[in-house]
């Protein structure tokens, strides 16, 4: 049974409530939680605004979208339809989605419009602030001092990335190797994902106990928070980075907005949550070097 804890910062944003959620076995085993928009953002309305801008952008002409392409700077701006395969071993075609990346250094971003820039920048800053609010409780759940993770997410050097995604209305088909987003784990620390309130999100997580894919349906106006490989490593395996994928039914397009909450390149990831008498399972590694290793594995 996959139980996903819900975090409500408006109600139990107190140190205690948050710490309890992160300390729960359900969170540790699945690495997934829901977070209510209310209390997490200064203005929850900004999520709706971002989805509206996202729709406008992805509905714009080929020419407008391609203008936001950054061939020389991958990982910024527009990424074309089906240009990625997150699970190459099971996929016959590229994932049925297109995307738009936003990075911290404002001047590097490629904005299709001032309205999009405005909404996305506000949202980016709110999500960075939300991630920072989670860090003390995460530290406490790991048995280290509250400020432990803070220095690694300094405002001038963190590597948080916001991404707008549009999945086409095609039908995913596992047997045919057609996925909206192929099975993968996130490589970083934490992902905070916004989905539209349409009831059936298409997001699925792999349940190792039953060896089945289980749909993840957040309550309306809730984010999906999940642990990535970096935090699994950082927590010495306490928090699981769980495989997930997106399957679409072919009825309609799907929009989502993941925010990847990542530290500075110079952050040294040294396993915490190492119990008495236990040994660390991983050697310390600089985040920048860890990323290079990941890319080398992905593209070898
Ligand atoms: O769109 C989604 O629901 C999930 C996307 C995702 O898993 C990712 O971008 O890493
Ligand atoms: Fe993901």
């Amino acid at each position: 049974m996959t139980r996903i804890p819900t975090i409500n910062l408006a109600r139990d944003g107190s140190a205690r409530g948050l710490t309890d959620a992160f300390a729960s076995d359900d969170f540790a085993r699945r690495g997934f939680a829901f977070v209510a928009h209310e209390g997490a953002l200064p203005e929850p309305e900004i999520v709706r605004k971002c989805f509206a801008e996202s729709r406008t952008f992805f509905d714009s002409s080929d020419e407008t979208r391609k203008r936001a392409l950054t061939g020389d700077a991958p990982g910024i701006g527009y990424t074309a339809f089906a240009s990625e395969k997150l699970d190459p071993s099971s996929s016959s075609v590229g994932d049925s989605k297109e995307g738009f990346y936003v990075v911290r250094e404002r001047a590097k971003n490629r904005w299709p419009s001032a309205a999009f820039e405005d909404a996305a920048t506000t949202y980016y800053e709110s999500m960075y602030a939300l991630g920072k609010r989670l860090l003390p409780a995460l530290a406490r759940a790991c048995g280290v001092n509250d400020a432990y993770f803070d220095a690694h997410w300094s405002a001038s050097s963190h590597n948080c990335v916001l991404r707008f995604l549009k999945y086409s209305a095609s039908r995913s088909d596992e047997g045919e190797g057609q996925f909206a987003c192929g099975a993968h784990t996130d490589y970083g620390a934490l992902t905070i994902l916004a989905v539209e309130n349409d009831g059936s999100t298409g997001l699925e997580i792999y349940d190792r106990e039953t060896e089945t894919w289980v749909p993840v349906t957040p309550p309306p106006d809730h984010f999906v928070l999940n642990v990535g490989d970096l935090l699994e490593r950082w927590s010495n395996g306490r928090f699981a980075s769980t495989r997930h994928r997106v399957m679409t039914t072919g009825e309609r397009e799907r929009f989502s907005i993941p925010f990847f909450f990542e530290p500075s390149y110079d952050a040294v990831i040294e396993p915490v949550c190492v119990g008495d008498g236990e040994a660390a399972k991983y050697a310390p590694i600089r985040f920048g070097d860890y990323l290079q290793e990941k890319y080398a594995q992905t593209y070898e």
Side-chain angles (χ1 to χ4, degrees), residues 58-278:
F58 287 117
D59 283 350
S60 66
S61 67
D62 255 19
E63 202 195 337
T64 305
R65 278 172 298 142
K66 299 247 163 82
R67 227 179 293 135
L69 264 174
T70 47
D72 51 336
I76 301 179
Y78 181 63
T79 46
F81 184 76
S83 58
E84 295 176 346
K85 257 187 206 171
L86 263 66
D87 183 8
S89 64
S90 309
S91 302
S92 57
V93 289
D95 293 349
S96 57
K97 66 174 193 299
E98 55 193 311
F100 184 88
Y101 281 112
V102 178
V103 296
R104 171 176 48 82
E105 289 166 90
R106 285 196 186 174
K108 288 194 175 168
N109 289 312
R110 284 276 184 119
W111 298 110
S113 74
F116 193 169
E117 173 174 5
D118 201 40
T121 305
T122 305
Y123 186 73
Y124 183 104
E125 291 307 329
S126 307
M127 296 306 276
Y128 168 65
L130 169 58
K132 292 268 289 195
R133 274 175 77 190
L134 303 177
L135 290 179
L138 202 61
R140 229 167 294 143
C142 289
V144 289
N145 73 68
D146 280 17
Y148 187 88
F149 293 114
D150 259 7
H152 300 311
W153 265 273
S154 103
S156 57
S157 64
H158 68 80
N159 286 291
C160 296
V161 174
L162 178 62
R163 195 172 195 201
F164 293 83
L165 291 173
K166 176 195 172 182
Y167 297 88
S168 74
S170 57
R171 197 172 72 82
S172 304
D173 186 323
E174 185 161 14
E176 295 290 326
Q178 294 164 1
F179 299 94
C181 176
H184 67 281
T185 53
D186 292 348
Y187 67 79
L190 282 174
T191 305
I192 312 172
L193 173 85
V195 291
E196 280 193 308
N197 285 335
D198 65 358
S200 58
T201 81
L203 178 64
E204 300 181 347
I205 63 175
Y206 191 69
D207 186 323
R208 266 170 292 211
E209 282 153 29
T210 57
E211 298 184 353
T212 53
W213 287 96
V214 182
V216 173
T217 309
D221 298 316
H222 281 64
F223 298 110
V224 179
L225 171 78
N226 71 282
V227 169
D229 299 344
L230 185 78
L231 187 56
E232 180 175 283
R233 177 180 179 130
W234 214 338
S235 67
N236 205 38
R238 172 167 170 76
F239 299 127
S241 170
T242 296
R243 258 159 37 101
H244 53 282
R245 67 182 188 183
V246 178
M247 304 294 274
T248 42
T249 58
E251 280 152 43
R252 64 186 132 173
E253 295 161 341
R254 176 180 186 274
F255 292 81
S256 73
I257 312 177
F259 181 75
F260 301 101
F261 185 67
E262 317 302 359
S264 312
Y265 290 133
D266 280 334
V268 175
I269 315 304
E270 181 164 7
V272 291
C273 313
V274 182
D276 287 343
E278 267 174 37

